[in-house]
Amino acid sequence: MSVAAVIVARGKHKKELEKTNMQAVDDALEAAKVFDELDSEKKGALDRDQTRDLLTRVTGVEVNDDGLQMVLNDCKKNMGDTLRELQTNSGVAFGGDDSVALPKDHLVKAVSKFRYYLKNKVKIDKIYDQFDTNKSGSLDRGQLKKFIQSEEDKFKKREAFGVLLHLRVSDDDVNYILSDCDMNENGAIDKAEVLSALAKWEELAKAHVEEKKKS
């Protein structure tokens, strides 16, 4: 790629990043407003149906179950002590059904995650068309391993001291990804979990490269 082409590409990337950041700010402001309207009983949290309503009103897009579950998973993963405190004070548990309580600050931030899901929905569908060979709606351990390895082989160029590395996805890697990303604990990766699984592999792959550099 020529220097001019690199400059143009960087300019486009900067503009896209600025646009994304502006969208995130607008979404957060609108989400906070809609949250207050939906939280008519002033509980400080929304249930599953209200969360779906909020996402639809903020983005103008019909929210499917996979997209909604991704948002719920993201909130659950990042709430920690806040979730436990909310459960104690409100008596509402965070489950896989309608017994969901999402506080305002976490839900407002999670709108950007739903935007990310929408941006990648076509890619997610293609992944499951190719690797969910038994059409279960989830990637089991073997399918997940094949998918992650395919992604790694396809476009990743990793190196240590100028030497290109060919990383192999191990069973331990798969177990680690499942332990962190299998939020409903069904032993597989659902569509709502696959983007976080990819991100977790990227984290693992960088750690593997660092290990090879040390050795």
Side-chain angles (χ1 to χ4, degrees):
M1 184 180 291
S2 66
V3 174
V6 170
I7 293 174
V8 171
R10 287 178 177 174
K12 288 182 178 179
H13 177 71
K14 183 178 180 180
K15 287 182 179 179
E16 289 177 0
L17 185 60
E18 290 174 349
K19 183 179 179 181
T20 299
N21 290 338
M22 290 177 63
Q23 181 72 70
V25 171
D26 291 342
D27 282 346
L29 292 172
E30 183 64 18
K33 177 183 175 182
V34 174
F35 186 102
D36 290 339
E37 293 173 2
L38 293 173
D39 185 23
S40 57
E41 298 181 9
K42 306 304 177 186
K43 292 182 177 180
L46 300 185
D47 62 25
R48 187 186 186 95
D49 289 339
Q50 290 173 319
T51 298
R52 190 192 296 271
D53 191 8
L54 180 144
L55 293 171
T56 299
R57 289 171 62 176
V58 172
T59 65
V61 177
E62 184 177 350
V63 182
N64 64 17
D65 289 341
D66 293 324
L68 176 61
Q69 194 60 51
M70 182 181 179
V71 170
L72 299 181
N73 289 348
D74 182 74
C75 288
K76 181 179 180 180
K77 205 169 186 178
N78 291 301
M79 283 167 70
D81 292 336
T82 303
L83 173 60
R84 287 187 285 275
E85 181 181 349
L86 185 65
Q87 289 174 329
T88 301
N89 294 338
S90 67
V92 180
F94 192 115
D97 50 21
D98 292 334
S99 56
V100 173
L102 298 179
K104 184 175 183 177
D105 54 346
H106 289 278
L107 189 51
V108 166
K109 293 176 183 177
V111 175
S112 62
K113 292 292 183 180
F114 182 64
R115 290 280 190 193
Y116 182 62
Y117 167 82
L118 291 176
K119 183 178 179 180
N120 288 277
K121 186 179 182 304
V122 172
K123 177 181 178 179
I124 292 172
D125 290 341
K126 286 182 178 179
I127 289 169
Y128 281 78
D129 285 343
Q130 181 177 355
F131 293 95
D132 180 19
T133 52
N134 57 347
K135 305 306 176 186
S136 66
S138 302
L139 299 182
D140 62 26
R141 291 173 183 274
Q143 293 165 340
L144 177 61
K145 187 175 183 179
K146 288 180 180 179
F147 159 59
I148 296 294
Q149 188 65 65
S150 174
E151 288 294 295
E152 179 65 25
D153 293 344
K154 192 185 307 179
F155 59 89
K156 296 298 183 184
K157 291 184 178 180
R158 308 186 194 277
E159 61 177 66
F161 305 113
V163 178
L164 288 178
L165 302 175
H166 183 208
L167 296 183
R168 302 299 302 175
V169 182
S170 69
D171 290 339
D172 286 342
D173 291 332
V174 172
N175 291 336
Y176 186 76
I177 291 171
L178 283 168
S179 69
D180 188 77
C181 303
D182 179 19
M183 300 298 290
N184 63 0
E185 299 181 347
N186 66 344
I189 292 296
D190 302 332
K191 286 186 177 182
E193 301 163 339
V194 70
L195 294 178
S196 62
L198 267 177
K200 183 55 62 175
W201 164 249
E202 185 63 23
E203 178 184 310
L204 275 171
K206 289 179 179 178
H208 289 331
V209 171
E210 289 304 313
E211 287 174 4
K212 290 182 181 296
K213 287 181 178 178
K214 290 178 182 178
S215 62

